[in-house]
């Protein structure tokens, strides 16, 4: 691959007379170019053309936006080859070749970059095209599209914000009004001819330059525009969101045009070889008769559904398309997203790529493809097939059917669109992406439904902050559908009963007029749109696993989920535990596959008995504290016993008290007064203690083991509660495996101090009870010093658990509570690649972890090591933990399935790239 990228080959042809590239060259040719070559190779009908590789894009930006000197000659030669294959000549006044110029990066970036169609048309060639096709309307339709695209894309006349109007769209609308028609397909040749003249005048007026008549100038203008589009704002945003490096660059494919706008035996369309919302088999998609390329996705006319009407409208073309779809699925062993054009009854392939899908569809399709014998189990588990995070969607709420029926009875069902992204979403109507962004900046918890006629790549940021997306036009392959599926958002498209007035800020359904800010609910499973909010209900997986009110066989998705997860567990080596403080959480986590508790925070328990705990903090003598602690002991013991029972012999890691004491005291005067009354002390003494305990920087203050060291009686009480509970539950016949964890250790002596108290207490309890249980004492590794001195600490500690929240705070010197104002700016300006509190900062925090693992295991070879920070449920971080050789990750119950899958993916990735 590295050699391929370094190659100086600057043009790759594809066509019946020879194809240079293939699917393996996507780094060079982009996904689109590589697959055009591959489809040509496997004998599918693809118009001839050539691809200028990504290396030229890189060269272009490295050399002040200029090209390698030899490129012109190479392009001329490749054009000649295309001319020979098509039997037409570029710019020829009698028999002109037209081409498209298409962007395409290594990873598909749908709609983010530009494409120009019908290049080669001018006042002369348009007449030749009219004569050759015996269709003047077609020729001028193509010409007006070309001038418009050239103006928008190459001459940068596209509207910049929501207030701007596209001059070409305005002229087109005016023309339709004059002609008294609704759709551009109804305009006559004469209208289109006039439009061409008007469009050219608009270009002259806005740019001061004439529309270029020379086809070669047009071609180079388009090539440069495509390379330029790699650096447009929306492409940059998209790359950041999906972690695509800007060094990759885009390729440019130049391809002979085929025409879907020649008449009623012509069409253009997009198709999916299976449903990508739910994963059900069967080709589906959108097509438009007598139209060209962009029309389908742009939502200008409402497209027709392939699965509903193409067979009757164009039986031969339909058969060709089905056959092509099957060949492609077999060849690529995955669901394909196709772009095609039907020219006079013949299907031409213009693009294929692995289809984007919802988490639902990803699971169903991967499992089905294994069961169909197309792919192996390990292949099904790869991150490419099922991004681990997508499992989230299977756990997401849906609308309660009863609540929906009620809403329908109340007349709240507004309309029905196409179900494009599963999940239930209720929220406030928002009509502009920019408004959504602003609302979100003011309140990150705001719940919005972005409602648009259609979406375009400019809306990306707004879509990201919306809870759901609803559009009036477009089908299952429209931009809105595609992007929302990828973002895992609920989405309903093609809701044609809806009338949007952006100026008035209203959305009208028949006689109901809604305003921006009104609540609606969309059901991405069914396509229904409801007025106001609707009660949500758990997903089928949750109902089978957690609520147990649905049998596995009654569910469509659960059996496939279960099959997938059984493969996951065959492959992964990393353990997965959960962070849980209550028996109910623990049981849920077990249902999701957790193998133990990796973090039980004991302070949550104190909040349930806050008065006793406050009494302990307020006591001014050891006796006073011990008296208060004695009251707390039975509560703690019962809580731990509950956890041990729920975990049924699985390991339970219990962290001793971690937060600073002042967090438990009331700050407000009124609350202090009430507390004084309840405890029978004076307000002054409480206020004084609050003041005493106040800290300037609590994150670095008197917390963690530092509290247990100064107040050993707290550690003593907690250790006693744990060991007594363990003894009690063991006597009930349940196996127990407590692991007592000391927080925030930096010095080995801190650990030694606490360990001594814990072991002494345990010995006392065993003596009192005349028995013993196995338990371990270990520590959190959450300050940099602990990672560096891990060998000294591991000489005493039996296990480590990386507390990566604190470790990230203390390593980066960034407070998680204070980073909001600058983190977004940092991310948008590529200062740091990820939010370090979501994904482990491998170079910094990650290296400290590596040091901790190495030094820790140097002094204790069998040291058990886990992680219990938020990162334990982040797929990238889980994979990193696998690479570090940790024994387990621990995360919140609902992320357990995700962590399991990520752990399996880590093994698969390792096998694919042996180090
Ligand atoms: P995008 O990446 O935005 O999908 P494409 O390069 O795929 O852009 O072009 C968009 C559409 O333009 C295609 O789906 C196809 O319908 C049409 N198109 C592109 N090239 C040609 C061509 N040579 N002949 C006919 N239609 C074309
Ligand atoms: Mg395309
Ligand atoms: Mg911590």
């Amino acid at each position: 691959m590295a050699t391929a990228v370094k190659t100086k080959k600057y043009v790759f042809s594809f066509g019946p007379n020879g194809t240079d590239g293939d699917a393996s060259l996507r780094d060079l040719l982009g996904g689109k170019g590589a697959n055009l070559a591959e489809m040509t190779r496997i004998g599918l009908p693809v118009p001839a053309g050539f691809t200028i590789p990504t290396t030229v894009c890189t060269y272009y930006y490295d050399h002040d936006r200029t090209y390698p000197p030899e490129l012109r000659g190479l392009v001329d030669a490749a054009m000649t080859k295309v001319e020979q294959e098509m039997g037409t000549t570029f710019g020829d006044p009698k028999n002109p070749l037209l081409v498209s110029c298409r962007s395409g990066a290594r990873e598909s970036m749908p709609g983010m970059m530009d494409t120009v169609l019908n290049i080669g048309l001018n006042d002369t060639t348009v007449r030749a095209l009219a004569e050759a096709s015996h269709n003047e309307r077609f020729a001028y339709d193509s010409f007006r599209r070309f001038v418009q695209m050239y103006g928008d894309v190459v001459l940068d006349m596209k509207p910049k914000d929501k207030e701007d109007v596209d001059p070409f769209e305005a002229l087109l609308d005016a023309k339709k009004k004059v002609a008294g028609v609704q759709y551009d397909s109804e305009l006559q040749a004469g209208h289109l001819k006039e439009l061409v003249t008007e469009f050219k005048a608009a270009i002259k007026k806005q740019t001061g330059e004439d529309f270029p008549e020379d086809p070669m100038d047009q071609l180079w203008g388009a090539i440069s525009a495509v390379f330029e589009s790699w650096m447009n704002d929306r492409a940059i945003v998209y790359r950041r969101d999906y972690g695509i490096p800007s060094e990759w660059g885009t390729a440019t494919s130049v391809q002979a045009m085929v025409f879907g706008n020649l008449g009623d035996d012509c069409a253009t369309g997009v198709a999916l070889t299976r449903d990508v919302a739910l994963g059900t088999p069967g080709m589906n998609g959108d097509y438009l008769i007598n139209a060209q390329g962009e029309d389908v996705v742009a939502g200008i006319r409402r497209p027709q559904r392939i699965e509903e009407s193409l067979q009757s409208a164009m039986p031969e073309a339909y058969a060709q398309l089905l056959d092509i779809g099957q060949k492609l699925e077999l060849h690529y062993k995955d669901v394909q997203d196709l772009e095609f054009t039907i020219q006079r009854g013949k299907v031409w392939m213009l693009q294929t790529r692995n289809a984007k899908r919802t988490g639902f569809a990803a699971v169903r399709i991967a499992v089905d493809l294994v069961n169909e014998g197309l792919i192996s189990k390990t292949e099904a588990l790869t991150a490419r097939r099922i991004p681990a995070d997508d499992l989230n969607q299977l756990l997401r709420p849906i609308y309660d059917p009863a609540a929906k029926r009620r809403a329908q009875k109340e007349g709240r069902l507004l309309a029905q669109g196409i179900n494009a992204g599963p999940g239930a979403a209720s929220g406030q109507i928002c009509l502009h992406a920019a408004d959504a962004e602003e609302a979100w900046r003011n309140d990150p918890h705001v719940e919005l439904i972005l409602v648009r006629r259609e979406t375009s790549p400019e809306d990306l940021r707004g879509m990201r902050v919306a809870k759901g997306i609803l559009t009036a036009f477009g089908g299952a392959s429209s931009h809105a559908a595609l992007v929302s599926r990828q973002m895992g958002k609920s989405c309903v498209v093609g809701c044609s009963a809806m009338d949007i007035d952006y100026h008035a800020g209203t959305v009208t359904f028949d006689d109901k007029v809604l305003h921006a800010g009104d609540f609606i609910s969309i059901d991405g499973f069914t396509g229904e749109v409801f007025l106001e909010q609707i009660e949500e209900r758990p997903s089928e997986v949750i109902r089978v696993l957690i609520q147990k009110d649905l049998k596995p066989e009654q569910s469509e998705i659960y059996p496939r989920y279960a099959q997938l997860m059984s493969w996951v567990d065959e492959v992964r080596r990393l353990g997965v535990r959960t962070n849980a403080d209550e028996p109910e959480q623990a049981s849920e986590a077990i249902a999701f596959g957790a193998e133990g508790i990796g973090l039980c925070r004991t302070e949550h328990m104190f909040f349930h008995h806050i008065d006793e705990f406050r009494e302990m903090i307020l006591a001014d003598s050891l006796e006073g504290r011990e008296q208060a602690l004695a009251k707390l002991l039975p509560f703690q013991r019962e809580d731990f016993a509950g956890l041990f029972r729920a975990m049924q012999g699985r390991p339970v890691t219990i962290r001793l008290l971690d937060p600073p004491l002042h967090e438990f005291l009331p700050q407000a005067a009124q609350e202090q007064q009430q507390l004084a009354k309840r405890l029978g002390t004076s307000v002054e003494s409480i206020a004084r203690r609050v003041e005493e305990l106040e800290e300037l920087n609590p994150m670095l203050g008197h917390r963690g083991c530092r509290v247990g060291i100064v107040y050993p009686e707290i550690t003593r009480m907690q250790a006693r509660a744990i060991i007594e509970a363990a003894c009690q539950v063991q006597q009930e016949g349940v196996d127990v495996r407590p692991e007592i964890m000391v927080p925030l250790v930096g010095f080995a002596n801190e650990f030694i101090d606490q360990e001594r108290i814990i072991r002494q207490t345990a010995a006392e309890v065993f003596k009192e009870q005349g028995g013993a249980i196995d338990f371990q004492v270990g520590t959190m590794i959450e300050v940099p010093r602990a990672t560096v001195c891990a060998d000294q600490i591991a000489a005493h500690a039996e296990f480590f658990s990386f507390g990566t929240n604190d470790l990230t705070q203390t390593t980066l010197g960034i407070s998680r509570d204070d980073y909001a104002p600058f983190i977004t700016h940092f991310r948008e300006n590529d200062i740091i690649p990820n939010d370090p509190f979501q994904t482990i900062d491998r170079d910094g925090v990650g290296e400290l972890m590596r040091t901790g693992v190495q030094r820790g295991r140097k002094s204790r070879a069998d040291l058990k090591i886990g992680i219990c920070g938020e990162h334990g449920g982040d797929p990238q971080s889980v994979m990193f933990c696998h690479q570090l050789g940790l024994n387990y990750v621990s995360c919140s119950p609902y992320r357990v399935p995700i962590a399991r899958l990520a752990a399996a993916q880590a093994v698969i990735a390792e096998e694919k790239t042996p180090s």
Side-chain angles (χ1 to χ4, degrees):
M1 201 161 73
T3 50
V5 170
K6 276 198 212 99
T7 162
K8 280 274 173 59
K9 189 168 165 59
Y10 286 141
V11 169
F12 292 73
S13 289
F14 54 88
N17 297 334
T19 298
D20 302 328
D22 61 42
S24 71
L25 294 185
R26 65 184 299 134
D27 293 3
L28 264 180
L29 307 184
K32 199 181 287 170
N35 285 331
L36 285 171
E38 185 80 9
M39 286 195 289
T40 308
R41 278 183 185 276
I42 64 172
L44 296 181
V46 177
F50 59 89
T51 302
I52 305 173
T54 52
T55 39
V56 172
C57 185
T58 316
Y59 182 104
Y60 179 79
Y61 284 107
D62 285 351
H63 293 80
D64 229 3
R65 294 176 144 88
T66 58
Y67 296 108
E70 61 268 47
L71 187 66
R72 247 171 209 278
L74 293 169
V75 166
D76 287 345
M79 278 299 276
T80 307
K81 222 167 142 185
V82 177
E83 290 172 343
Q84 283 161 359
E85 267 152 4
M86 302 306 291
T88 50
T89 306
F90 194 54
D92 190 84
K94 291 240 163 54
N95 195 10
L97 167 72
L98 302 190
V99 296
S100 62
C101 184
R102 315 175 60 191
S103 54
R106 197 191 291 194
E107 294 288 329
S108 120
M109 298 169 51
M112 297 301 132
M113 292 179 296
D114 292 322
T115 280
V116 184
L117 307 180
N118 306 326
I119 301 166
L121 279 175
N122 56 29
D123 290 337
T124 315
T125 54
V126 73
R127 280 195 295 273
L129 189 68
E131 269 166 44
S133 64
H134 307 293
N135 188 337
E136 194 181 26
R137 187 197 175 278
F138 151 71
Y140 281 94
D141 181 50
S142 304
F143 198 13
R144 77 93 190 153
R145 288 166 186 275
F146 175 46
V147 179
Q148 177 168 1
M149 264 193 166
Y150 201 88
D152 275 342
V153 171
V154 183
L155 305 175
D156 202 24
M157 289 168 66
K158 214 179 285 181
K160 297 285 179 285
D161 62 60
K162 66 183 188 189
E163 308 300 336
D164 279 2
V165 275
D166 183 320
F168 305 114
E169 286 301 325
L171 289 168
L172 184 61
D173 281 343
K175 190 63 67 190
K176 284 193 281 193
K177 266 212 189 92
V178 170
V181 301
Q182 190 179 2
Y183 298 116
D184 60 271
S185 54
E186 298 163 296
L187 290 173
Q188 302 302 311
H191 299 129
L192 296 165
K193 218 184 257 186
E194 290 163 20
L195 270 181
V196 169
T197 313
E198 292 164 21
F199 281 7
K200 286 185 179 174
I203 288 178
K204 177 82 182 179
K205 186 166 160 228
Q206 192 166 329
T207 68
E209 280 174 48
D210 286 315
F211 172 79
E213 288 283 318
D214 177 9
M216 261 306 168
D217 288 348
Q218 296 171 354
L219 178 62
W220 280 99
I223 292 174
S224 293
V226 168
F227 284 133
E228 282 291 328
S229 69
W230 178 250
M231 286 297 178
N232 73 32
D233 182 52
R234 51 181 207 256
I236 292 172
V237 172
Y238 187 92
R239 286 203 290 274
R240 187 179 312 122
D241 275 8
Y242 292 96
I244 298 173
S246 63
E247 304 85 69
W248 282 3
T250 181
T252 300
S253 292
V254 175
Q255 187 177 25
M257 287 298 299
V258 286
F259 299 100
N261 55 340
L262 265 168
D264 286 344
D265 54 351
C266 302
T268 178
V270 291
L272 295 154
T273 55
R274 295 179 196 227
D275 173 76
V276 289
L278 291 172
T280 33
M283 177 168 294
N284 62 94
D286 296 325
Y287 71 101
L288 267 179
I289 290 189
N290 198 12
Q292 200 174 49
E294 306 284 63
D295 294 2
V296 182
V297 265
I300 294 163
R301 271 188 277 156
R302 184 168 158 82
Q304 286 168 281
R305 300 291 299 164
I306 290 174
E307 67 277 23
E308 284 167 8
S309 59
L310 187 61
Q311 184 165 23
S312 53
M314 300 183 174
E316 273 174 37
Y318 180 71
Q320 290 168 38
L321 190 63
L322 277 196
D323 181 54
I324 290 170
Q326 247 162 26
K327 282 195 178 126
L328 285 171
E329 264 204 6
L330 275 173
H331 185 73
Y332 286 100
K333 301 191 187 313
D334 202 355
V335 177
Q336 296 296 297
D337 179 337
L338 320 175
E339 294 177 11
F340 64 92
T341 283
I342 302 172
Q343 177 174 308
R344 303 212 156 115
K346 179 182 162 70
V347 175
W348 289 93
M349 288 304 299
L350 293 167
Q351 191 170 338
T352 192
R353 59 185 171 213
N354 295 333
K356 301 249 192 299
R357 61 208 75 178
T358 65
F360 262 84
V363 169
R364 164 137 198 197
I365 289 168
V367 173
D368 285 356
L369 289 180
V370 174
N371 295 337
E372 286 167 31
L374 247 64
I375 59 172
S376 67
K377 288 182 203 173
T378 23
E379 174 61 29
L381 296 181
T382 51
R384 188 177 74 72
R385 298 268 175 184
I386 310 176
D389 244 339
D390 281 10
L391 282 185
N392 218 346
Q393 292 175 35
L394 273 69
L395 311 181
R396 278 214 327 230
I398 56 179
Y399 287 130
D400 179 16
K404 263 193 350 187
R405 270 196 302 277
R406 264 200 310 281
Q408 196 164 357
K409 263 205 200 116
E410 292 161 10
R412 284 163 53 201
L413 178 60
L414 293 171
Q416 169 91 40
I418 297 168
N419 53 328
S426 299
Q428 289 174 280
I429 294 175
C430 180
L431 296 177
H432 298 286
D435 298 347
E437 263 192 275
E438 197 183 310
W440 176 81
R441 264 198 300 273
N442 294 332
D443 173 14
H445 300 294
V446 67
E447 304 202 320
L448 299 172
I449 307 292
L450 184 64
V451 181
R452 307 264 322 150
R453 289 199 193 121
E454 74 279 322
T455 63
S456 72
E458 276 88 354
D459 298 327
L460 208 61
R461 291 160 182 256
M463 294 172 79
R464 202 169 41 198
V465 301
K467 195 174 165 198
I469 291 147
L470 171 64
T471 68
F473 294 105
S477 321
S478 64
H479 178 265
L482 216 72
V483 173
S484 60
R485 273 200 294 276
Q486 203 175 359
M487 292 179 172
K489 302 223 183 255
S490 315
C491 178
V492 172
V493 297
C495 184
S496 51
M498 173 173 78
D499 194 20
I500 303 178
D501 185 337
Y502 288 127
H503 273 285
T506 57
V507 186
T508 310
F509 298 87
D510 288 334
D511 53 343
K512 282 207 183 62
V513 182
L514 307 188
H515 297 264
D518 290 349
F519 275 92
I520 53 168
S521 300
I522 61 172
D523 187 335
F525 291 103
T526 61
E528 292 159 306
V529 182
F530 292 93
L531 186 63
E532 295 166 7
Q533 279 150 301
I534 292 189
E535 219 171 291
E536 294 167 6
R537 202 181 66 173
S539 77
E540 287 189 358
V541 173
I542 300 292
R543 291 187 55 205
V544 172
L545 285 178
I546 308 290
Q547 311 208 149
K548 305 194 168 57
D549 61 352
L550 187 73
K551 293 204 184 71
E553 61 276 14
Q554 290 172 315
S555 165
E556 182 87 3
I557 191 68
Y558 178 78
R560 292 182 171 89
Y561 165 85
Q563 203 175 4
L564 183 86
M565 295 314 282
S566 76
W567 302 338
V568 161
D569 289 345
E570 284 167 24
V571 171
R572 76 185 161 95
R573 296 198 296 274
L574 189 64
V576 177
R577 296 192 186 184
T578 192
N579 299 350
D581 317 325
E582 286 165 12
E584 201 178 312
Q585 284 173 358
S587 308
E588 284 185 3
I590 291 174
F592 288 131
E595 297 154 313
I597 290 181
L599 175 63
C600 163
R601 298 177 173 93
T602 51
E603 54 271 18
H604 289 182
M605 298 175 175
F606 289 131
F607 279 109
H608 293 162
H609 306 285
I610 189 78
D611 274 358
E612 290 84 348
F613 198 67
R614 285 169 171 173
E615 195 185 326
M616 190 280 296
I617 299 171
L618 294 168
D620 44 19
S621 67
L622 176 62
E623 290 79 37
R625 279 196 296 277
E626 283 186 331
Q627 264 168 26
L629 285 167
K631 290 186 205 167
L632 284 166
L633 175 67
F635 299 128
Q636 283 249 293
R637 189 173 52 218
E638 234 356 88
D639 285 339
F640 293 136
L643 270 187
F644 292 140
R645 286 188 199 107
M647 293 310 287
Q648 294 287 314
R650 295 176 183 84
V652 177
T653 308
I654 297 168
R655 179 180 69 183
L656 300 180
L657 183 68
D658 185 54
L661 295 180
H662 54 76
E663 274 192 16
F664 298 91
L665 290 181
Q667 304 293 324
Q670 202 192 353
E671 274 183 75
Q672 293 182 357
Q673 248 156 16
Q674 286 164 354
L675 180 66
K677 221 184 260 163
R678 284 204 302 277
L679 296 184
T681 58
S682 67
V683 186
E684 292 72 33
S685 68
I686 295 179
R688 193 173 347 105
R689 190 73 178 129
V690 168
E691 217 168 278
E692 270 169 26
L693 289 174
E694 196 180 284
E695 292 177 315
L696 284 181
N697 192 345
M699 186 183 95
L700 302 177
H702 193 183
R703 51 171 292 221
C705 64
R706 299 161 198 170
V707 177
I709 290 170
V710 174
Y711 303 107
E713 55 278 14
I714 299 180
T715 302
R716 224 165 8 240
M717 185 281 285
Q718 291 204 289
R720 177 168 278 275
I722 295 167
I723 301 293
E724 286 185 355
C727 291
Q728 182 184 327
V729 174
Q730 196 179 43
Q731 270 159 24
E732 296 165 11
V734 179
D735 213 13
V736 282
R737 289 171 58 197
E739 300 176 345
I740 302 174
M741 183 157 76
V742 182
L744 214 73
V745 163
F747 297 86
N749 277 340
E750 291 176 316
F751 182 79
I752 293 169
D753 176 278
Q754 293 289 287
E755 188 202 11
R756 188 180 40 82
I757 299 171
I758 295 164
R759 293 207 183 274
Q760 264 175 11
T761 309
E764 278 165 32
V765 176
F766 294 151
K767 208 162 137 204
E768 289 159 21
Q769 309 221 347
I773 48 140
D774 278 336
F775 68 98
Q776 292 189 334
V777 188
T779 181
M780 299 272 286
I781 299 292
E782 52 186 337
V783 296
R785 191 179 198 281
T787 65
V788 177
C789 301
D791 46 345
Q792 297 167 22
I793 297 171
H796 306 273
E798 289 170 299
F799 66 88
F800 281 179
S801 178
F802 285 107
T804 44
N805 299 347
D806 271 311
L807 189 58
T808 300
Q809 298 203 85
T810 50
T811 301
L812 274 56
I814 292 178
S815 151
R816 188 169 55 156
D817 303 318
D818 299 308
Y819 84 142
F822 57 87
I823 189 69
T824 318
H825 185 89
F826 269 44
R827 294 275 294 105
E828 299 209 333
N829 291 280
D830 289 329
I831 307 283
I832 49 172
N834 295 302
D835 177 341
F837 290 100
Q838 279 172 18
T839 299
I840 288 174
D841 155 41
R842 290 196 187 197
D843 293 349
V845 176
E847 276 309 299
L848 284 176
M849 289 172 73
R850 190 188 305 281
T851 304
V853 172
Q854 281 166 355
R855 297 193 180 171
R857 293 217 171 114
K858 203 171 72 195
S859 58
R860 188 185 290 265
D862 64 346
L863 183 71
K864 181 169 53 184
I865 307 179
I867 174 177
C868 61
E870 291 303 310
H871 303 94
D874 167 66
Q876 281 188 53
S877 308
V878 172
M879 293 179 83
F880 180 65
C881 290
H882 171 91
Q883 289 162 18
L884 282 185
L886 299 202
N887 298 81
Y888 68 86
V889 297
S890 187
C891 56
S892 60
Y894 277 68
R895 297 208 63 90
V896 166
I898 295 166
R900 284 162 71 199
L901 177 55
Q905 290 175 343
V907 176
I908 293 167
E910 191 174 70
E911 284 163 0
K912 282 200 170 155
T913 47
S915 50

